[in-house]
Amino acid sequence: MAAQNQQSRQGDGGFPVVHEAENTSLSPATAPEGTSTDYSPDLAHERTANTNVPVTPGIFQSTYQTPALHRSADAESMGYFTQDPKKQDNKRDPRVPAPGDTREPSSPGDLVRGALSGDEVLRRLSQAASGRRESVADIQSAAPDLALTGNIVSATFTAPHTIKYQSQGEWELGSRHGLSALYDAFVHLSSDEAPWNHSVVAWPGEIECSHKNLDLSVSHDKSSAPELSHLSAPVPVDGDLPPTPPSADGLWISRDHQLKLEQQLAENERFKMVPVWLSDDDEMNDEGITLNDQSRWRHYAEHCLYPLFHYKQQEPSDGRAERIEWANYYRANLKFANKIIEIYKPGDVVVIHDYYLLLLPSMLRQRMPNMYISFFLHCPFPSSEFLRCLPRRKEVLEGLMGANLVGFQSYSYSRHFTSCCTRILDFPSDATGVDAFGNRVEVGVYPIGIDTRRVEELAWTKEVTEKCNALKELYQGKKIIVGRDRLDSVRGVTQKLQAFERFMEMYPEWREKVVLIQVTSPTSIKVQDDSDSKIAGRVNELVMKINGVYGSLGFSPVQHYPQYLDADEYFALLRAADIGLITSVRDGMNTTSLEYVVCQRDTHGPLILSEFSGTAGSLRDAIHINPWDLNSVAREINNALTMSADMRHSMQSNLYNHVANKTVQSWITKFLRKLVGTLASNRIENATPVLDRTNLLERYRAARKRVFMFDYDGTLTPIVKDPQAAVPSERVIQTLRTLAADDNNAVWIISGRDQAFLQQHLGHITELGFSAEHGSFMRHPGSTEWENLAETFDMSWQAEVMDVFQKYTDRVTGSFIERKRCALTWHYRQADHEQGIHAAKAAHHELLSTVAKKWEVDVMEGKANLEVRPTFINKGEIAKRLVHHYGSTSTVTSADGDDKTGGANEGSNVEFVLCCGDDFTDEDMFRALNGLVGTELQNEHIFTVSVGASTKETLAKWHVLEPKDVLESAALLAGVGLTGEQTDSLSQVNLAAVAGLEGRVPM
């Protein structure tokens, strides 16, 4: 039978045949019409039975019923900027750049992408590869507009090898435990079976040293060496304490030896790897690198992210250690981004793996806006109620928004992710993706598999068979239950032992007839949690208790082995087992369950699997249990032991067929195919990445003349119902004052507010410049006089507009009119939302058909307001005026009205412009600044930033979520802390940005 199964899943040449279903919908779906009754969709979450698996307590099938799941199959997906059906007939040609958009495409297919749908691309790929091995030419012909090079760059944090530095610059490579399925995927992509040219970018990990090659600065004076006891320390001379020895972690590696390792990794027979060297900038030079405290680069991921993603809430702390850990996490992701950019070519595909690199997609998008990026998370993703407990929750989610496709192991994880994006970031989402920063981030479920053929080769060697027979003989007459887990709190080892104890109590007839062999390997994750440090002690207590109560002098019902097993021993144990028992309380990918199924192809031992395991949704024929329900687990153990042979055979056959067909090779193939389809179907839209603060700070420091332009409402302060309540906070005032105090900075507030409001709340900062009423009035820094730019314009139109506004004010309770000197604004923030929107549309239409036809005025829809102003007055004219003024003068006006000569600035253009705004009136500034590129400004010197409203189309080059982010960016440049004072420490986010630029964490 095994031979028949093996033969049935191999094609020509003995290679596994990967079958791609034409229906590749990412949302739960039933079988397409016209298919046979044995239809089996490729994605686990598409199977009807899978929705009955309670992966998350309290989450039921009805929870996942969203309008997006019931859309017509042939209906076009609503784009980010096509939410209004009226705009569907007036789409901008993707080959024509937006007005004022000066960004150049960075990939060959940018100008023609969108010609094919994702389903059409997948159909072409399936047809092209039908009956033969897929080639790069097949992929390129299926999606010609993408101009794919055939190169895949896989980014994973830790190298698949353990690396030891030996004498004379020799390097020894070993095998790293964990993530074997991922590394098998790398091997497949690098083999002749895959059509891609594959490279892996990874950190070498903590390099071990087999010889004494520490930093020469380490002192060898015995008087300064640390002692085992303070009582045996040397007596200080003249009252001085002994010097503190340098860290013994410093490992010096010469540049020649670095290059030798890089060459060895590049020529590795399994796959090519490009190392990312992580260290402070002052620890590396042309001669070599010093590696200090190597484990620091993984601290934030393992101390903060790993526990939270596995539903383990940490105790709150003062944040001092987390500040440093976050800065190192940010720097590590930044170094990965720089390394990938070094080897990247337009048309390459970048695949990023796991929670160590959550910021990497956005960092790559900031540098290469049209890069093809995908991300796969190998661990669980928590619900929004857990993720919101993470202080850096917003930055983590923003980091993933840079990907074109985000993949998860389980459907519940993907739903948690989209829910977090909506609840925390306020991004529109549905079951298939998230709309963010003008881009569509597709979300899918892709359960990972294993290399079944390799497992079978390893599991049926002569050595394994001998050890398997020896185990069966050792426990002859007894049923063997096997468990292999890492020793941490999320693997459920204690729950397994407690359930086994309950089983022995409930079913005394099985005493001395069943043995539980539990292997616990050390965890590679070093979390800061007292509970994890107590797990080993708790496990030992349970083992001794069970053996003491239910064992005898000649037999112990629990055999516990806290160690790593050799491959032969491991597969022998899985083959000898009668039951596989996995009681994870939360995990993403559990390869033991898949390997157990393969090893039981002949003996058909049942698999008892926790419903909280990431593989539970895929292995639907396994016996699913809740590890917290000890009585239920005990009953299922008894049911598995007493199960009939026919039932065991049927269960095992279904499980084996699934594991044999859904291999790691088919997983990565399907994931890449979906990415190609996603890229081909996404039309060019004006996507804007999140603001790169490190780049912002670098340009700021290098510039001599700098101009700042800030909108007020929605940019420096949040939008509030009462406009008069939008007063600046003390931090806003202090940050603006510090920023404007620099003689090289010209800081302007360009707002729709009138002069009185700006004068009242910010006028005391004499270094600020102001433009009121959307450019109608100006007040220069150091001056108290307002210049009326609309003085000669006929304002007779205001009477007609006032009549219209008054009519709708009488109709809409809570609305009111704001009369400015050059504009009229009708506000409905305090009115009923739906009534206000309906009335605003009607008033807008009436004004366009009457006043706008008679007078040169603009009728503008704002945030809960409608404004009419003269056409020639707008913020864009002010922006151009300021750039021209400061670029043509060599003096800076001081607060007292005197002119200070800026010697360094004489005869130079403006070298830095930061312009931030939140609504359509600020688009005039963005358009004007884009139009000055090449004449008065350089493109890299302009930072136009759109604030909030992620669904809107914008001409800005960057995006931030809320006014708080604008203030954080200004505080970063001013060098001030949370209160706006320079004596305060930088915020955690700004500290990371400074560390990314300076190459070290500033103390």
Side-chain angles (χ1 to χ4, degrees):
M1 165 136 184
Q4 292 176 353
N5 287 336
Q6 177 74 4
Q7 184 177 1
S8 65
R9 63 187 181 85
Q10 288 183 350
D12 297 338
F15 296 105
V17 178
V18 179
H19 300 283
E20 178 71 24
E22 292 185 5
N23 184 359
T24 56
S25 171
L26 295 183
S27 59
T30 55
E33 296 182 4
T35 56
S36 61
T37 56
D38 61 349
Y39 169 75
S40 178
D42 288 333
L43 300 183
H45 71 278
E46 292 180 332
R47 303 190 183 100
T48 305
N50 187 42
T51 59
N52 297 322
V53 179
V55 178
T56 303
I59 301 298
F60 305 99
Q61 184 174 0
S62 59
T63 308
Y64 301 131
Q65 301 301 325
T66 65
L69 302 183
H70 303 287
R71 284 187 288 188
S72 174
D74 57 353
E76 184 179 0
S77 177
M78 295 286 282
Y80 208 47
F81 303 126
T82 58
Q83 299 295 331
D84 186 358
K86 297 178 180 179
K87 298 179 181 179
Q88 292 289 332
D89 297 329
N90 192 26
K91 296 178 182 176
R92 177 173 58 83
D93 189 338
R95 294 169 294 182
V96 180
D101 190 358
T102 59
R103 289 175 290 180
E104 297 180 358
S106 60
S107 66
D110 286 341
L111 299 180
V112 292
R113 191 187 310 158
L116 298 176
S117 68
D119 291 340
E120 174 65 15
V121 171
L122 293 174
R123 186 187 65 80
R124 290 189 180 186
L125 287 173
S126 298
Q127 290 180 346
S130 178
R132 62 179 178 82
R133 190 179 303 167
E134 190 176 63
S135 66
V136 173
D138 294 331
I139 301 172
Q140 293 171 335
S141 61
D145 298 341
L146 298 180
L148 295 171
T149 61
N151 298 328
I152 297 287
V153 179
S154 295
T156 183
F157 183 68
T158 308
H161 318 286
T162 58
I163 300 178
K164 182 177 292 186
Y165 185 37
Q166 298 180 331
S167 59
Q168 306 301 320
E170 297 297 325
W171 297 94
E172 178 184 340
L173 304 184
S175 298
R176 188 178 297 277
H177 294 284
L179 294 179
S180 59
L182 174 61
Y183 300 151
D184 287 340
F186 292 165
V187 173
H188 169 69
L189 288 175
S190 303
S191 68
D192 293 337
E193 297 182 33
W196 306 95
N197 178 26
H198 181 237
S199 300
V200 176
V201 175
W203 173 49
E206 292 88 345
I207 296 178
E208 300 180 21
C209 185
S210 61
H211 62 287
K212 294 184 178 180
N213 187 28
L214 301 180
D215 196 318
L216 297 179
S217 63
V218 176
S219 173
H220 298 284
D221 185 357
K222 294 183 180 180
S223 65
S224 64
E227 300 292 343
L228 296 178
S229 170
H230 69 280
L231 298 176
S232 61
V235 178
V237 180
D238 297 331
D240 293 332
L241 293 175
T244 302
S247 172
D249 187 60
L251 174 62
W252 165 256
I253 302 175
S254 68
R255 183 57 184 158
D256 291 341
H257 293 174
Q258 280 183 268
L259 294 175
K260 188 172 184 180
L261 174 62
E262 292 177 5
Q263 182 179 3
Q264 187 172 342
L265 294 173
E267 297 174 353
N268 186 273
E269 59 182 8
R270 301 184 70 198
F271 49 79
K272 174 185 176 182
M273 180 185 139
V274 180
V276 179
W277 296 95
L278 298 180
S279 68
D280 292 344
D281 285 359
D282 57 6
E283 295 173 347
M284 63 174 67
N285 52 42
D286 294 338
E287 297 180 357
I289 187 172
T290 301
L291 303 179
N292 286 309
D293 190 13
Q294 298 184 61
S295 63
R296 61 178 155 156
W297 305 106
R298 61 170 77 245
H299 283 174
Y300 185 83
E302 296 181 356
H303 293 172
C304 298
L305 296 179
Y306 178 86
L308 192 72
F309 279 22
H310 289 82
Y311 290 80
K312 294 173 58 182
Q313 181 57 48
Q314 301 280 58
E315 291 292 329
S317 65
D318 58 16
R320 286 180 292 183
E322 186 181 340
R323 280 169 54 84
I324 306 301
E325 291 177 354
W326 172 257
N328 287 328
Y329 183 79
Y330 178 93
R331 285 201 297 150
N333 279 256
L334 188 60
K335 287 182 178 290
F336 266 82
N338 293 335
K339 178 57 68 173
I340 291 174
I341 293 297
E342 286 182 16
I343 64 176
Y344 170 79
K345 297 178 181 178
D348 290 356
V349 173
V350 178
V351 185
I352 305 168
H353 295 274
D354 230 1
Y355 58 94
Y356 291 94
L357 301 174
L358 293 175
L359 306 181
L360 184 55
S362 183
M363 289 180 172
L364 291 174
R365 184 70 63 203
Q366 289 166 345
R367 289 154 179 77
M368 303 294 292
N370 294 287
M371 182 183 285
Y372 305 148
I373 305 171
S374 61
F375 181 92
F376 190 86
L377 186 66
H378 294 262
C379 72
F381 195 91
S383 67
S384 60
E385 295 306 315
F386 264 83
L387 189 68
R388 68 172 64 247
C389 298
L390 184 69
R392 301 274 66 81
R393 60 197 179 185
K394 185 174 68 175
E395 289 76 16
V396 165
L397 291 175
E398 283 180 332
L400 291 176
M401 292 299 98
N404 299 104
L405 174 65
V406 180
F408 296 91
Q409 175 74 18
S410 166
Y411 181 61
S412 63
Y413 303 157
S414 70
R415 288 291 290 170
H416 289 163
F417 172 72
T418 56
S419 174
C420 286
C421 291
T422 299
R423 295 186 179 186
I424 296 176
L425 301 182
D426 199 27
F427 286 169
S429 68
D430 54 37
T432 64
V434 182
D435 295 328
F437 301 138
N439 187 32
R440 175 71 175 178
V441 180
E442 293 288 338
V443 176
V445 179
Y446 308 92
I448 196 171
I450 59 174
D451 188 348
T452 308
R453 183 175 56 188
R454 177 172 172 269
V455 171
E456 288 182 334
E457 291 175 354
L458 295 174
W460 269 271
T461 62
K462 179 181 178 181
E463 293 78 8
V464 172
T465 301
E466 292 175 352
K467 292 180 179 179
C468 176
N469 294 334
L471 279 171
K472 291 182 177 180
E473 184 178 353
L474 179 63
Y475 296 104
Q476 187 174 7
K478 297 180 175 60
K479 296 292 185 179
I480 302 175
I481 302 176
V482 168
R484 199 287 297 262
D485 307 272
R486 292 179 183 172
L487 193 59
D488 58 38
S489 59
V490 302
R491 304 299 173 178
V493 179
T494 56
Q495 285 81 359
K496 182 185 301 184
L497 293 172
Q498 290 172 328
F500 184 74
E501 179 185 16
R502 183 63 178 146
F503 164 75
M504 300 297 290
E505 179 182 353
M506 292 173 60
Y507 302 95
E509 65 271 18
W510 285 108
R511 295 179 184 177
E512 298 197 4
K513 296 180 181 179
V514 175
V515 59
L516 170 63
I517 302 178
Q518 176 63 44
V519 179
T520 54
S521 57
T523 179
S524 59
I525 306 297
K526 302 176 178 62
V527 298
Q528 291 179 326
D529 192 340
D530 291 339
S531 63
D532 272 4
S533 63
K534 297 176 182 177
I535 291 296
R538 178 59 176 157
V539 168
N540 289 332
E541 290 177 5
L542 287 171
V543 171
M544 290 188 292
K545 178 183 177 182
I546 297 171
N547 288 338
V549 175
Y550 302 105
S552 63
L553 291 176
F555 174 72
S556 297
V558 179
Q559 301 292 324
H560 179 220
Y561 300 95
Q563 64 186 61
Y564 284 114
L565 292 181
D566 293 336
D568 291 351
E569 297 174 329
Y570 171 62
F571 289 116
L573 188 62
L574 295 185
R575 284 182 55 186
D578 294 289
I579 294 177
L581 182 57
I582 297 173
T583 56
S584 306
V585 297
R586 190 74 60 177
D587 69 7
M589 169 59 184
N590 192 297
T591 57
T592 301
S593 60
L594 304 179
E595 291 163 345
Y596 175 81
V597 169
V598 175
C599 291
Q600 290 292 317
R601 71 179 189 187
D602 299 328
T603 50
H604 313 140
L607 171 64
I608 302 177
L609 180 62
S610 168
E611 65 186 42
F612 297 102
S613 171
T615 53
S618 303
L619 302 179
R620 56 183 178 179
D621 289 294
I623 301 174
H624 292 168
I625 51 97
N626 179 354
W628 301 102
D629 187 351
L630 302 183
N631 290 333
S632 176
V633 178
R635 284 192 294 269
E636 294 298 346
I637 293 176
N638 180 67
N639 292 339
L641 291 172
T642 58
M643 186 180 295
S644 66
D646 290 342
M647 185 175 294
R648 288 192 290 109
H649 181 274
S650 175
M651 177 185 295
Q652 169 61 19
S653 296
N654 292 334
L655 289 173
Y656 180 83
N657 289 334
H658 172 82
V659 175
N661 289 316
K662 307 302 179 183
T663 63
V664 69
Q665 291 86 353
S666 66
W667 164 73
I668 193 62
T669 299
K670 182 176 297 182
F671 186 61
L672 291 174
R673 281 186 175 183
K674 181 57 185 177
L675 175 62
V676 173
T678 298
L679 295 170
S681 62
N682 283 350
R683 291 178 171 86
I684 285 294
E685 300 188 41
N686 198 19
T688 53
V690 66
L691 179 62
D692 184 352
R693 297 190 187 183
T694 299
N695 183 29
L696 178 74
L697 181 61
E698 181 180 13
R699 294 295 180 183
Y700 174 83
R701 289 183 176 181
R704 295 170 296 177
K705 279 188 179 180
R706 316 181 189 108
V707 178
F708 294 82
M709 306 177 195
F710 296 110
D711 177 37
Y712 185 79
D713 290 287
T715 301
L716 293 178
T717 61
I719 296 292
V720 294
K721 286 190 174 182
D722 183 4
Q724 297 303 316
V727 298
S729 65
E730 185 62 27
R731 188 187 182 194
V732 170
I733 294 174
Q734 292 295 338
T735 301
L736 290 176
R737 177 182 284 120
T738 304
L739 201 62
D742 190 329
D743 290 341
N744 291 328
N745 296 343
V747 183
W748 282 74
I749 309 300
I750 305 178
S751 173
R753 294 281 189 167
D754 58 23
Q755 307 99 295
F757 183 91
L758 296 177
Q759 176 63 41
Q760 177 185 356
H761 295 290
L762 294 173
H764 60 285
I765 307 177
T766 57
E767 298 90 348
L768 288 180
F770 297 97
S771 174
E773 298 190 26
H774 301 295
S776 299
F777 300 89
M778 291 183 67
R779 198 193 84 173
H780 287 270
S783 174
T784 59
E785 299 295 327
W786 288 89
E787 180 184 355
N788 187 353
L789 302 182
E791 188 173 7
T792 60
F793 190 72
D794 186 1
M795 295 295 176
S796 302
W797 55 269
Q798 288 189 343
E800 297 183 39
V801 174
M802 180 62 74
D803 292 340
V804 176
F805 279 171
Q806 187 62 51
K807 178 174 65 174
Y808 287 94
T809 302
D810 296 338
R811 294 180 182 178
V812 181
T813 303
S815 64
F816 61 93
I817 303 172
E818 180 185 4
R819 182 160 192 168
K820 305 173 183 178
R821 295 180 63 179
C822 292
L824 289 174
T825 306
W826 180 66
H827 296 274
Y828 56 92
R829 295 180 188 177
Q830 302 177 14
D832 178 79
H833 181 67
E834 292 186 2
Q835 184 185 17
I837 293 178
H838 180 75
K841 290 182 178 179
H844 183 259
H845 181 268
E846 182 174 344
L847 290 170
L848 289 179
S849 60
T850 57
V851 179
K853 291 184 177 181
K854 297 168 55 178
W855 303 89
E856 292 185 7
V857 295
D858 290 328
V859 183
M860 303 176 297
E861 293 179 294
K863 293 182 178 179
N865 66 66
L866 193 65
E867 182 167 296
V868 181
R869 69 178 185 190
T871 300
F872 74 93
I873 296 177
N874 60 70
K875 293 182 178 181
E877 295 299 322
I878 300 298
K880 289 190 290 186
R881 180 187 291 240
L882 293 179
V883 171
H884 177 72
H885 172 73
Y886 289 105
S888 61
T889 181
S890 60
T891 59
V892 179
T893 305
S894 66
D896 56 8
D898 296 333
D899 287 339
K900 298 180 180 179
T901 301
N905 298 338
E906 189 169 358
S908 63
N909 289 329
V910 174
E911 297 176 338
F912 177 90
V913 176
L914 175 61
C915 179
C916 302
D918 70 308
D919 63 21
F920 69 97
T921 63
D922 301 306
E923 295 295 323
D924 293 331
M925 291 194 292
F926 304 153
R927 182 181 295 104
L929 292 174
N930 290 338
L932 295 178
V933 172
T935 56
E936 298 185 56
L937 293 173
Q938 296 183 30
N939 189 46
E940 60 271 17
H941 294 165
I942 304 175
F943 290 84
T944 49
V945 182
S946 179
V947 184
S950 61
T951 57
K952 71 182 179 184
E953 183 173 0
T954 178
L955 296 174
K957 296 165 60 178
W958 304 96
H959 210 121
V960 295
L961 284 177
E962 54 187 345
K964 179 182 176 182
D965 297 322
V966 176
L967 191 57
E968 285 281 359
S969 301
L972 170 67
L973 303 183
V976 298
L978 297 176
T979 63
E981 299 289 345
Q982 290 182 311
T983 56
D984 288 346
S985 58
L986 294 175
S987 67
Q988 194 174 116
V989 175
N990 285 345
L991 179 71
V994 174
L997 177 60
E998 297 181 354
R1000 61 178 181 84
V1001 180
M1003 299 299 180

